[in-house]
Amino acid sequence: MKYVLAIDQGTTSSRTMLFDERGKPVATAQKEIQCKYPHSGWVEVDAIDVWLSVADCINEVLVKNDLTGDDIDSIGITNQRETTVVWNKKTGKPIYNAIVWQSRQTTAICESVSDKKQLIHSKTGLIINPYFSASKIRFILDTVPGAQEMAENGELIFGTMDTWVMYKLSKGKIHATDVSNASRTLLYNISTMSWDEELCKIFNIPMSMLPTVNPSSFNYGDTIYGAPITGVLGDQQAALFGQTCFEKGDCKNTYGTGCFMLMNTGDKPTFSNNGLLTTVAWQIEDKVTYALEGSVFVGGAVIQWVRDEMKLINKSSESEDMANSVKNTGGIYIVPAFTGLGTPYWDDDARGAIFGLTRGTNSAQIVRACLESIAYQSKDVFEVMKQETGIVINDLGVDGGATANKYLMQFQSDILETNIKLPACLETTALGVAYMAGLHTGFYKSMDEIKKIHSYQASYSPSLDKSEVTRKYKNWKLAVEATRLFKSE
Ligand code: ADP
């Protein structure tokens, strides 16, 4: 029997998973990665450490299961998006640490091109923000002596983590990326589906540094393990695919530290006026699928806060029993704007608040309101998606650590007035890219077949009165408004 090997190169760890023909995970290996924080707000990682962690995971999953490269049908790579590596084409050595997506060290570079906001949005579907790769490349070329000149001479190349891992897996033969990763760089035109000369000029980035862009399901070439790489996707797009959100209007939300909601918007990009990002979901053969994306900065992290800072619980999982131990929140609302607010507010200056406290407010009600805040923030994104696309969303696929919380999931279904479905395999990121890789080789016959073998472990249906939903959501909106009025010191 053969397997698809999925490599999931994440921010805090790398992971490998083997999937069988039914899309069942049969083995996994994981290695933590140490990020570096050289200055406040800066996040970097040694790209060689990242490659080592990936190689270790591949070796471990093969050795522990008594397998070799011959047992692998194909390899899929999914990755933390936007994180940027620049390396020397001759030596294969990075010239600077990889700059991680979260890092804010390029704020000044972004401000220097803020007059190009409109143009950049219309070509890339993104906003100007340090998250995306372009300002990170600029930073490296500015910081390493002689780098700009070397780049102009064609001696340096750039890649996101998929590109870097592929380069290493092929001993330097492959310098490529897929459309979903390219669409997160600020240099890729998502309408013409090509690197954009004008955008590269704005950031003064030589186009010779850029990888070849291929479809997500494509034979990228063979690896040192023998098996070819036939699927590549950014992590959120992989989760959308792993949730089998194949049709226009299909939507998923991931409940991790933050929340990421993506909606398949079909074969044309939908540009948002309310802070949703437009992105390429994937390309299979010549068919491109687009997505809208919204994010909540503090999702599951609010539960870490009540655990680690407020010390109201010892373990995240205790939040469920605690929430169920009270009848209601006693009318309190928590807006966890610890680091500002994401979609649709994009308010960097907002800070958190609790409203409606009384002498009787207790810790269980606070925990319950924290869980509800995750659901309300996700509803904010959900409402904008519905509004901007005019699509009625009947089902929401969910994944991520906080989906283990049944109180949260039921409340989410109630407040969204939508069914929620939890897949059997919650590692939808790895699963998505495994599906993508296997589709190319025929390991998975078709997207229809994938739909058939995809299974669920739980679902939730809305059960709250419409008037209650309206009342609660109105109060939430008021709480957000009031939070934003307050200017923290
Ligand atoms: P990430 O990939 O961002 O590290 P995970 O998908 O591993 O995140 O999810 C971890 C997050 O989920 C943490 O913020 C944690 O507080 C939250 N979480 C985990 N289990 C529960 C639970 N039972 N109830 C509520 N939140 C939870």
Side-chain angles (χ1 to χ4, degrees), residues 76-189:
I77 302 176
T78 178
N79 54 293
Q80 51 171 318
R81 303 174 302 175
E82 301 119 8
T83 297
T84 296
V85 196
V86 174
W87 67 96
N88 186 306
K89 203 167 156 180
K90 271 214 193 86
T91 65
K93 295 222 165 61
I95 62 163
Y96 190 84
N97 282 331
I99 303 182
V100 176
W101 59 275
Q102 293 159 313
S103 192
R104 311 302 292 170
Q105 72 210 72
T106 61
T107 306
I109 296 173
C110 290
E111 277 163 9
S112 73
V113 297
S114 59
D115 58 322
K116 303 286 193 305
K117 197 169 135 193
Q118 247 1 77
L119 174 89
I120 290 179
H121 180 75
S122 68
K123 289 193 173 200
T124 66
L126 306 175
I127 53 171
I128 300 176
N129 191 283
Y131 278 139
F132 307 110
S133 312
S135 65
K136 298 180 196 291
I137 304 175
R138 184 67 259 139
F139 181 93
I140 295 173
L141 296 182
D142 282 343
T143 306
V144 179
Q148 180 70 25
E149 198 185 332
M150 285 178 78
E152 278 165 18
N153 291 337
E155 294 166 53
L156 299 180
I157 50 179
F158 148 78
T160 39
M161 277 304 171
D162 55 316
T163 305
W164 170 243
V165 168
M166 252 190 293
Y167 184 84
K168 288 297 180 192
L169 277 173
S170 65
K171 272 193 141 176
K173 287 205 183 72
I174 309 173
H175 181 226
T177 190
D178 93 300
V179 290
S180 71
N181 276 295
S183 77
R184 313 296 297 186
T185 57
L186 274 188
L187 301 172
Y188 193 72
N189 186 318

Side-chain angles (χ1 to χ4, degrees), residues 236-271:
Q236 294 307 322
Q237 288 94 331
L240 189 70
F241 202 73
Q243 288 274 7
T244 67
C245 291
F246 299 160
E247 305 298 326
K248 184 173 174 177
D250 288 352
C251 198
K252 72 94 193 169
N253 197 20
T254 299
Y255 298 79
T257 312
C259 299
F260 285 94
M261 193 180 288
L262 268 78
M263 183 202 263
N264 178 329
T265 56
D267 57 8
K268 283 187 193 62
T270 307
F271 289 90

Side-chain angles (χ1 to χ4, degrees), residues 349-385:
D349 301 327
R351 291 296 174 267
I354 306 182
F355 294 92
L357 292 172
T358 65
R359 175 67 183 77
T361 302
N362 60 41
S363 49
Q365 289 172 327
I366 294 203
V367 170
R368 187 164 164 136
C370 280
L371 287 170
E372 293 187 357
S373 76
I374 303 174
Y376 286 124
Q377 292 182 93
S378 295
K379 182 171 169 88
D380 286 340
V381 182
F382 192 77
E383 289 302 314
V384 179
M385 290 220 171

Side-chain angles (χ1 to χ4, degrees), residues 12 15 254-258 299-305 307 315-320 371 374 399-406 408:
T12 54
R15 200 178 314 185
T254 299
Y255 298 79
T257 312
V302 71
I303 301 304
Q304 288 165 271
W305 173 72
R307 183 191 63 197
K315 287 197 307 206
S316 299
S317 55
E318 288 174 16
S319 60
E320 183 176 335
L371 287 170
I374 303 174
D399 48 60
T403 56
N405 193 303
K406 296 192 179 73
L408 170 62

